Amino acid sequence: MTPGNALDRLTALLSRLPGIGKKTAGRLAYHILDTDPAYAHSLASELDNLHDAIKRCSRCGAYTESDPCPICSDPSRDRALLCVVERAQDLRVIEESREYRGLFHVLGGLIAPLEGVGPGDLSIGKLASRIQEEGTRELILALNPTIEGDTTALYLQQFLKEKLKGSPLEITRLASGLPVGGDLEYADRLTLSRSFRGRIKL
Amino acid sequence: MTPGNALDRLTALLSRLPGIGKKTAGRLAYHILDTDPAYAHSLASELDNLHDAIKRCSRCGAYTESDPCPICSDPSRDRALLCVVERAQDLRVIEESREYRGLFHVLGGLIAPLEGVGPGDLSIGKLASRIQEEGTRELILALNPTIEGDTTALYLQQFLKEKLKGSPLEITRLASGLPVGGDLEYADRLTLSRSFRGRIKL
Ligand SMILES: [Zn+2]
Ligand SMILES: [Zn+2]
């Protein structure tokens, strides 16, 4: 390759990002090379810093720079509401909808037997403890409307009913608005607002 | 913002890349956070190294780790042929077509009066010297089939005819195959091969 290994190595690394093919990665690498070196150095510095600066909240599992995270530490949030999401990034899109003022819990995945992901791989025991300790009254399952999301919602419902027998916990799930088979992360503000308002009791 | 400034800063930097919107940048940043820190550190290290490792070839203007570049130094290349490209990255796509075995010259842009780019901003004087010193017999203009490409080709033809009066230099331009208004960088191997074979004399 003419431009040398440094460019090829950068291209190979960029092409490992989701949605970035080999051709796009090559164009990005050349663009970075064409741009002021200060940009490459800033990007490098943020990448080096990222995992040190951002940890998981020990309560909810969200990404945060402080522990507990700003949401868990916010006394104005409604602690009777607990919203369960698959991944930490789902939390941001819900926060941006400004529809919800309760707490969150990041499961860390969805039950997917074919991919070898079982209930034991998710933060479910922790969720049960939180519900008991924090006196949660409504658990809102904000899981993608996919087979894995449905399976996980059903499992959580059965597991928690058994585990928290006699508790007045209400379990709901975001429903109306989210396109079936879609991804929560791609939902717009309006769709999410509608999903929250139209949530159904499980 | 919940996940803290480190993630926001990385997202902002990524969204400055061409074709990467704010939403995509956010997803990429979260993906990097979800991935083993070793990936972020490798990417950071390549970015830091990039501009130090890769320079411009002092002869042809291509990106290279050694100077002169591997193409300029290769005794098996046909020195009678000189292919003129707009940008250094155009060189790679031509090399990958394996259609061409001559030398290259990177102009560093195209004449665009509305954007304030004139002939003096391009590597044109250097091109004339190279043609004389290296005894070029055919100059192949591999410029995008756009208004700027056409203007630059016309200018080069007139300038070099005047400058190299009496020289037997033949000037050709890639023609057949490249879609009008398109970008050389997006051309596939076959299209490029056809363009080389069907090049027209100016
Ligand atoms: Zn938290
Ligand atoms: Zn060179």
Side-chain angles (χ1 to χ4, degrees), chain A residues 56-64 66-73 91 103-106 130, chain B residues 2:
Chain A
R56 296 274 185 178
C57 172
S58 58
R59 288 192 200 170
C60 71
Y63 284 125
T64 176
S66 54
D67 188 21
C69 75
I71 293 178
C72 286
S73 326
L91 204 145
L103 301 181
F104 286 97
H105 188 80
V106 177
R130 285 190 68 191
Chain B
T2 314

Side-chain angles (χ1 to χ4, degrees), chain A residues 3 5-6 9 13 17-18 27 31-35 39 41 44 46 48 51 54 63 65 89 185-186, chain B residues 3 5-6 9 13 17-18 27 31-35 39 41 44 46 48 51 54 63 65 89 92 185-186:
Chain A
N5 293 323
R9 285 195 309 265
L13 283 170
L17 291 170
R27 267 198 295 281
H31 174 85
I32 295 168
L33 193 51
D34 280 336
T35 305
Y39 173 75
H41 292 309
E46 290 301 339
D48 264 333
H51 286 85
I54 298 182
Y63 284 125
E65 288 187 339
Q89 47 265 55
E185 211 188 335
Y186 291 81
Chain B
N5 293 323
R9 286 196 307 267
L13 283 170
L17 292 170
R27 266 198 296 281
H31 174 84
I32 295 169
L33 193 51
D34 281 335
T35 305
Y39 173 75
H41 292 310
E46 291 301 339
D48 264 333
H51 287 84
I54 298 181
Y63 284 126
E65 289 186 339
Q89 48 265 56
R92 184 171 67 163
E185 211 188 332
Y186 293 80

Side-chain angles (χ1 to χ4, degrees), chain B residues 57-62 64 67-73 104 130:
Chain B
C57 173
S58 58
R59 289 193 198 169
C60 70
T64 175
D67 189 21
C69 74
I71 293 177
C72 286
S73 326
F104 286 97
R130 284 190 69 191

Side-chain angles (χ1 to χ4, degrees), chain A residues 1-11 13-20 22-54 56 62-65 69-71 87-89 91-93 95-96 185-188, chain B residues 1-11 13-20 22-54 56 62-65 69-71 87-89 91-93 95-96 185-188:
Chain A
M1 283 280 49
T2 315
N5 293 323
L7 202 56
D8 292 342
R9 285 195 309 265
L10 178 60
T11 301
L13 283 170
L14 290 172
S15 70
R16 279 162 58 183
L17 291 170
I20 308 279
K22 211 190 142 206
K23 233 177 174 176
T24 304
R27 267 198 295 281
L28 292 177
Y30 269 109
H31 174 85
I32 295 168
L33 193 51
D34 280 336
T35 305
D36 190 310
Y39 173 75
H41 292 309
S42 302
L43 193 52
S45 148
E46 290 301 339
L47 285 164
D48 264 333
N49 168 59
L50 187 67
H51 286 85
D52 290 332
I54 298 182
R56 296 274 185 178
Y63 284 125
T64 176
E65 288 187 339
C69 75
I71 293 178
R87 298 160 304 177
Q89 47 265 55
L91 204 145
R92 183 170 70 164
V93 74
E95 277 299 279
E96 282 173 356
E185 211 188 335
Y186 291 81
D188 58 299
Chain B
M1 282 282 51
T2 314
N5 293 323
L7 203 54
D8 293 342
R9 286 196 307 267
L10 179 60
T11 302
L13 283 170
L14 290 172
S15 70
R16 280 162 59 184
L17 292 170
I20 309 278
K22 211 189 143 210
K23 233 177 173 176
T24 304
R27 266 198 296 281
L28 292 178
Y30 269 109
H31 174 84
I32 295 169
L33 193 51
D34 281 335
T35 305
D36 189 313
Y39 173 75
H41 292 310
S42 301
L43 192 52
S45 147
E46 291 301 339
L47 286 164
D48 264 333
N49 169 58
L50 187 68
H51 287 84
D52 289 334
I54 298 181
R56 295 273 186 180
Y63 284 126
T64 175
E65 289 186 339
C69 74
I71 293 177
R87 298 160 303 179
Q89 48 265 56
L91 202 145
R92 184 171 67 163
V93 74
E95 277 299 279
E96 282 173 355
E185 211 188 332
Y186 293 80
D188 59 297

Side-chain angles (χ1 to χ4, degrees), chain B residues 154-171:
Chain B
L154 191 64
Y155 178 87
L156 283 175
Q157 190 193 5
Q158 292 172 338
F159 174 84
L160 294 171
K161 272 223 168 114
E162 176 65 28
K163 178 98 179 168
L164 309 173
K165 218 176 280 176
S167 125
L169 179 73
E170 190 167 64
I171 303 180

